[in-house]
Amino acid sequence: MNPLRRVLAKAAEVSYQSYAERFIYKFDAQQSHAMLIDWLESIEDSPFWLAATTTAHNLLYPKLPTPVGGITLDYPMMLAAGFVKGHGYANESMALQAVKAGQNIIPGWRIVPRLVGPVEFGSFTRYPRIGNTGTVMWRDRRQLSTQNRVGLKNPGAVAAAHFLSERKDQLPKQFGINIAPSPGVDNERESIKQVIEAMGVFIKREVLPTWFTLNLSCPNTEDDPTGAQTESSARNMCGYVMQFLNKNQVDVPLWVKISPRLAPEQYATMLKVFHELGIKAVIATNTLGMPSPEDDTLTAGVGGGLLHKEATTALTLLRNASIEHGYNVDLIGCGGLLNGDSYSSFKNLDVAAVQYWSALIFRGPFAAAIIQSEYKP
Ligand SMILES: Cc1cc2nc3c(=O)[nH]c(=O)nc-3n(C[C@H](O)[C@H](O)[C@H](O)COP(=O)(O)O)c2cc1C
């Protein structure tokens, strides 16, 4: 990275830390998140902020073309799913009504990619979800970790596709769409049908992302996420989705996001399935389900510092299987990407690209540029 960019990254970091002390850490994680989303919603169409974020991005982010999962990203670090995902609604007609009323149902869709580069939108489920109630987000500054049980709150695929299709000319140059099976749907055929319908509405409305991610791994509902990650379930779900994309000649690669702490054989088996089906990349990992800080009978997913070791363990197992069998599936590191060292540990595992969420909170909107400036190859 050139010295000027390094200085700018340092300045961005210092400014963010002082801002965060005064305006973010003063509130609990959920309050500050809600305030941030409200703010993004309010500035989404502001010419000043659109220009300022574009300029800041151009100054801080060098173009680093990165081939990964069947595409070439402009930058190797993506903002992971779960930040730009939209409001929750109780049902589809309410979500569609909000779109018709001109409301911004996916705050950040326009401004966040301008600022940080590639973003994975979602997860979206077939139908809207209101998510879990009460306190659903925590942060641990000492461990640089987050924990959440948002519970796949989102406006649903139909309203999200409708909303984005009306703004097609403003969509970012590169973005992903993450689709999750609906929690609570036990019937496998119905679950697959809903995933395909969800993907299908984006395609039908010509909201074609740069990549689709199929999220097999959400720990923050009362479903068991490991259930979708057995060989037969993963093969069925991914197989039908690939069939659907191929049949409709959709030229968008499919990636899959998986959990940490699965059995070693499970990683090897899943990678084999992904390779055989033509899945282009696997994102390892989603958050780690742990007892929620306020009620240990509930599960809340841990991200950030406390997840990093789990993510690198998963990636090591995937990499070993890939080397042994010559699988053609790119690895994407996700989990505790917080600084140059954690980026190095991912790079040492031959990841093609990385994703982050918690770093956005602990290192600010220029986290990816700051991490890149700290990285020593
Ligand atoms: C509040 C919150 C909401 C999230 N929602 C989603 C989601 O909807 N879909 C998904 O695939 N991952 C979701 N994630 C997981 C992140 O995409 C990421 O996998 C995880 O936080 C690990 O990255 P990190 O260690 O950089 O935070 C969410 C994470 C957080 C903190």
Side-chain angles (χ1 to χ4, degrees):
M1 190 179 252
N2 80 34
L4 175 63
R5 281 218 166 90
R6 213 178 288 278
V7 171
L8 288 173
K10 191 75 211 159
E13 152 110 83
V14 171
S15 321
Y16 176 73
Q17 290 308 337
S18 113
Y19 172 84
E21 262 333 313
R22 275 183 296 155
F23 299 109
I24 294 186
Y25 301 142
K26 233 175 73 182
F27 301 95
D28 68 35
Q30 194 155 325
Q31 279 173 323
S32 48
H33 183 78
M35 280 159 33
L36 181 58
I37 297 294
D38 281 352
W39 183 66
L40 286 173
E41 195 170 331
S42 72
I43 63 164
E44 197 98 80
D45 293 321
S46 143
F48 169 78
W49 283 108
L50 289 169
T53 46
T54 306
T55 306
H57 180 84
N58 292 340
L59 284 172
L60 275 147
Y61 288 79
K63 260 212 166 152
L64 294 170
T66 304
V68 50
I71 54 168
T72 298
L73 284 178
D74 286 344
Y75 202 74
M77 300 181 197
M78 296 161 261
L79 181 61
F83 190 78
V84 180
K85 67 181 313 184
H87 295 306
Y89 293 89
N91 58 54
E92 199 159 275
S93 71
M94 284 170 81
L96 284 169
Q97 233 168 344
V99 177
K100 282 201 189 102
Q103 288 169 21
N104 182 353
I105 67 160
I106 310 179
W109 69 276
R110 191 175 183 195
I111 211 113
V112 174
R114 282 184 188 237
L115 194 59
V116 309
V119 175
E120 191 167 294
F121 293 2
S123 297
F124 300 115
T125 47
R126 167 63 186 86
Y127 297 101
R129 286 177 56 84
I130 206 82
N132 293 320
T133 53
T135 305
V136 294
M137 273 187 209
W138 300 267
R139 74 168 99 77
D140 175 346
R141 281 183 72 186
R142 213 165 43 86
Q143 304 282 358
L144 300 184
S145 290
T146 52
Q147 200 167 356
N148 89 88
R149 45 176 280 100
V150 170
L152 283 175
K153 172 170 98 172
N154 77 95
V158 170
H162 194 135
F163 175 81
L164 295 175
S165 73
E166 287 180 344
R167 291 155 180 83
K168 230 176 278 169
D169 53 336
Q170 301 296 337
L171 283 173
K173 186 175 149 235
Q174 298 191 320
F175 68 105
I177 290 183
N178 176 312
I179 302 287
S182 303
V185 176
D186 293 333
N187 181 303
E188 195 179 32
R189 282 174 73 124
E190 176 61 22
S191 183
I192 294 170
K193 180 173 154 270
Q194 290 195 11
V195 163
I196 289 174
E197 278 177 16
M199 225 170 249
V201 292
F202 287 98
I203 294 163
K204 197 162 153 218
R205 287 202 167 261
E206 293 176 9
V207 178
L208 287 182
T210 320
W211 72 93
F212 273 120
T213 293
L214 178 55
N215 176 10
L216 293 184
S217 52
C218 183
N220 304 321
T221 62
E222 299 335 312
D223 273 7
D224 171 13
T226 57
Q229 295 169 90
T230 60
E231 176 171 7
S232 76
S233 299
R235 190 180 288 283
N236 279 342
M237 175 72 79
C238 299
Y240 279 113
V241 172
M242 280 303 289
Q243 216 176 68
F244 168 77
L245 292 174
N246 290 336
K247 206 172 102 196
N248 290 283
Q249 297 178 330
V250 180
D251 189 21
V252 176
L254 182 67
W255 302 353
V256 176
K257 184 165 179 181
I258 61 175
S259 294
R261 220 181 264 184
L262 300 176
E265 318 78 64
Q266 224 168 331
Y267 287 113
T269 311
M270 278 202 296
L271 201 64
K272 174 172 170 269
V273 169
F274 299 157
H275 168 77
E276 287 170 0
L277 294 174
I279 307 285
K280 295 286 184 208
V282 56
I283 305 170
T285 65
N286 206 323
T287 50
L288 177 68
M290 296 290 277
S292 123
E294 289 175 23
D295 179 348
D296 61 13
T297 63
L298 298 173
T299 302
V302 171
L306 290 172
L307 180 63
H308 188 61
K309 197 157 182 321
E310 303 285 348
T312 53
T313 301
L315 286 162
T316 305
L317 293 163
L318 290 165
R319 178 173 175 263
N320 290 347
S322 186
I323 292 171
E324 191 180 338
H325 300 283
Y327 296 143
N328 189 20
V329 183
D330 281 344
L331 304 183
I332 297 175
C334 180
L337 175 73
L338 288 159
N339 48 36
D341 286 347
S342 44
Y343 189 37
S344 276
S345 66
F346 277 144
K347 296 281 276 186
N348 290 339
L349 292 168
D350 298 334
V351 300
V354 288
Q355 296 193 337
Y356 62 95
W357 200 113
S358 300
L360 191 68
I361 306 305
F362 297 114
R363 309 226 50 200
F366 298 108
I370 294 166
I371 293 168
Q372 185 71 48
S373 77
E374 292 169 345
Y375 171 60
K376 294 187 189 72

